[in-house]
Amino acid sequence: MESLRDKHIEDTRRTLLDTGARLFAEREYTELSAEELVRAAGLTRGALYHHFDGKKGLFEAVLDELEERAAHRIRSAIDAHSDPFDRVEAGLEAFLDVCAEPEYRHIVLLQGPIALGWRRWREVDQRHLGSLVVEGARRVLESGEVQPHPPELLASAFYGALTEMSLTIAEAEDTATGRTQAAALARALLRGLAVDRPIT
């Protein structure tokens, strides 16, 4: 049974996460101070440092939650299909949908590399999404419907392409158009590997 102390700890953590998600989505990471975060949360700097070791730790925790939710959405889209190509295409569409959403776009794609540094940002992203890309590459290779390539290399190529596409969508003036163009290119790249299927 959860004690009152445990509930207080979890409530404090949740308040910081929710406040951080709201403010990080509205502001530039470099312009937002730890003091503003705790004031908006109605908490102390001590609470922030106790739970997250500061602004950067809170930002990473917020980003981590967004990536986890994205992975669940992509997984659900993938699992709605049985054909290997359809699974990959559904995953691509779900991923690009997520990238076009304002909160994910601003926090994960635009502010993430600035706040965490490219290497750490990529590590967090791969932890949540990398296995989905590897799984998709293995399934289409095992189907025998694509040209044979090492699965890790194929996954790496697609992960790299999707990463750059997501950043391009995030930086586009017209996010919806950027997302549509990225989807068309991603489908063309995938179908270009097919042995028998035409590019659609």
Side-chain angles (χ1 to χ4, degrees), residues 1-191:
M1 184 175 177
E2 186 180 41
S3 69
L4 288 176
R5 182 176 181 278
D6 289 339
K7 187 177 186 307
H8 174 71
I9 290 171
E10 182 52 36
D11 287 349
T12 300
R13 186 176 188 279
R14 186 72 256 163
T15 297
L16 285 165
L17 284 167
D18 291 343
T19 303
R22 177 171 59 82
L23 293 181
F24 289 134
E26 296 171 354
R27 303 274 298 279
E28 302 296 301
Y29 174 81
T30 55
E31 297 174 1
L32 183 63
S33 70
E35 187 58 42
E36 288 177 280
L37 283 165
V38 296
R39 187 164 59 244
L43 297 168
T44 64
R45 286 177 66 94
L48 172 64
Y49 282 87
H50 172 74
H51 287 279
F52 298 105
D53 199 28
K55 182 179 81 165
K56 183 176 180 180
L58 175 60
F59 180 91
E60 182 169 332
V62 168
L63 184 146
D64 195 70
E65 282 200 343
L66 288 171
E67 290 278 49
E68 185 175 5
R69 285 183 218 150
H72 282 304
R73 282 180 57 182
I74 296 166
R75 166 59 67 192
S76 294
I78 290 170
D79 287 346
H81 301 271
S82 57
D83 177 80
F85 269 88
D86 292 343
R87 288 172 65 86
V88 171
E89 288 188 341
L92 287 172
E93 292 289 339
F95 171 71
L96 294 172
D97 282 343
V98 169
C99 291
E101 293 176 354
E103 185 180 43
Y104 188 94
R105 172 180 173 270
H106 188 74
I107 294 176
V108 176
L109 300 176
L110 293 177
Q111 300 301 308
I114 295 169
L116 304 183
W118 177 262
R119 183 183 295 275
R120 180 57 184 160
W121 174 78
R122 189 168 179 271
E123 287 174 356
V124 175
D125 188 67
Q126 279 195 316
R127 185 171 72 243
H128 290 287
L129 305 181
S131 62
L132 296 172
V133 180
V134 172
E135 177 189 322
R138 289 189 181 280
R139 280 179 175 265
V140 293
L141 285 166
E142 289 169 0
S143 73
E145 297 185 68
V146 298
Q147 304 156 30
H149 295 282
E152 292 78 11
L153 184 60
L154 182 60
S156 179
F158 262 90
Y159 178 81
L162 289 171
T163 298
E164 290 303 318
M165 284 184 199
S166 71
L167 295 173
T168 300
I169 292 170
E171 293 168 356
E173 290 186 14
D174 184 343
T175 304
T177 298
R179 183 247 178 271
T180 299
Q181 292 172 340
L185 177 56
R187 286 196 300 270
L189 290 172
L190 176 62
R191 297 288 169 162

